[in-house]
Amino acid sequence: MSFYVDMVEGLKRMIGPGKKYSNPTQMAKACGVAPNQIIRYIRQERGKHIQVVAKVLDEVGAKITFPDGKKTDNKGDMVHIANILARPDEEGQTLITCEDKDTPLAFSKNWLERKGDPAQMGILDVTGNSMSPRIEDGDMVIVDQSQRELFEGRIYAIRIDREIVIRRVAKEPGRILLISDNPDAEPRRISLDIKNEFAGWAAMGRIIYVAKDLP
């Protein structure tokens, strides 16, 4: 078949019950054109210009490929992120998964992979306003536990003994500073010794996303 006929047949296969577009009007609306334009293409009544272009494409060997016309199901492209607690395991190496929480939330796999490792991410409910207004009490954050190397200016979940705090990181020679965004928080700065292996603290993961309710 020619390029023009392939195009017409491809459009026809994408329109109908159970397909991406139930009728030509729906396709036209999605394309931002008048419905009669799509109908004229399907009936091969479109003007000579497109047919001239089609002849050129036939000559140069161009091919046209259409989707199968069915509505796509993107469930396979979603990743469920488990809820976690602001509490470390016995070894202090990872945050405990919350077993009695509602069904985990789903996020785009591609979006998560651009930010880190989805397999090591968890959703944490925030308590307190030390990072207000960026992160408020009751907000949900995604913690990527694969990102434990501390970079200045980024926000991390940090274990201090058995307590988990969320703070912005700054650095001084031999020390890590955990800074609260909220100027009224106490303490505003927590200083950690990076040379002391018995200091009792560890980075648990980077905060890569925050979700909040609007007032």
Side-chain angles (χ1 to χ4, degrees), residues 49-103:
H49 177 72
I50 189 68
Q51 297 187 33
V52 171
V53 173
K55 288 181 179 179
V56 173
L57 295 176
D58 285 338
E59 176 59 29
V60 301
K63 301 293 183 182
I64 185 169
T65 302
F66 279 83
D68 59 11
K70 297 179 180 179
K71 292 183 178 179
T72 57
D73 183 354
N74 293 323
K75 290 183 179 179
D77 296 326
M78 304 297 287
V79 174
H80 286 87
I81 303 298
N83 295 92
I84 55 178
L85 300 173
R87 189 166 73 243
D89 61 8
E90 290 300 321
E91 292 75 29
Q93 297 300 311
T94 188
L95 297 175
I96 296 175
T97 300
C98 181
E99 302 292 347
D100 58 353
K101 197 75 172 177
D102 293 336
T103 303

Side-chain angles (χ1 to χ4, degrees), residues 40-52:
R40 291 182 66 187
Y41 278 128
I42 293 173
R43 293 177 178 175
Q44 299 189 40
E45 297 174 353
R46 193 61 237 167
K48 293 183 178 180
H49 177 72
I50 189 68
Q51 297 187 33
V52 171

Side-chain angles (χ1 to χ4, degrees), residues 165-177:
V165 300
I166 294 176
R167 296 292 190 277
R168 194 177 301 279
V169 164
K171 294 183 178 182
E172 288 182 349
R175 309 195 73 78
I176 294 293
L177 300 179

Side-chain angles (χ1 to χ4, degrees), residues 86 125-130 136-139 166:
D125 292 325
V126 176
T127 302
N129 287 311
S130 61
E136 307 272 6
D137 181 64
D139 289 348
I166 294 176

Side-chain angles (χ1 to χ4, degrees), residues 93 159 161 174 192-202:
Q93 297 300 311
R159 175 181 63 79
D161 295 328
L192 304 173
D193 186 352
I194 62 176
K195 296 180 180 179
N196 184 356
E197 62 178 316
F198 304 107
W201 69 273

Side-chain angles (χ1 to χ4, degrees), residues 15 21 23-38:
I15 298 173
Y21 307 103
N23 53 59
T25 299
Q26 188 181 44
M27 175 184 277
K29 184 177 180 180
C31 297
V33 300
N36 69 318
Q37 300 281 19
I38 299 296

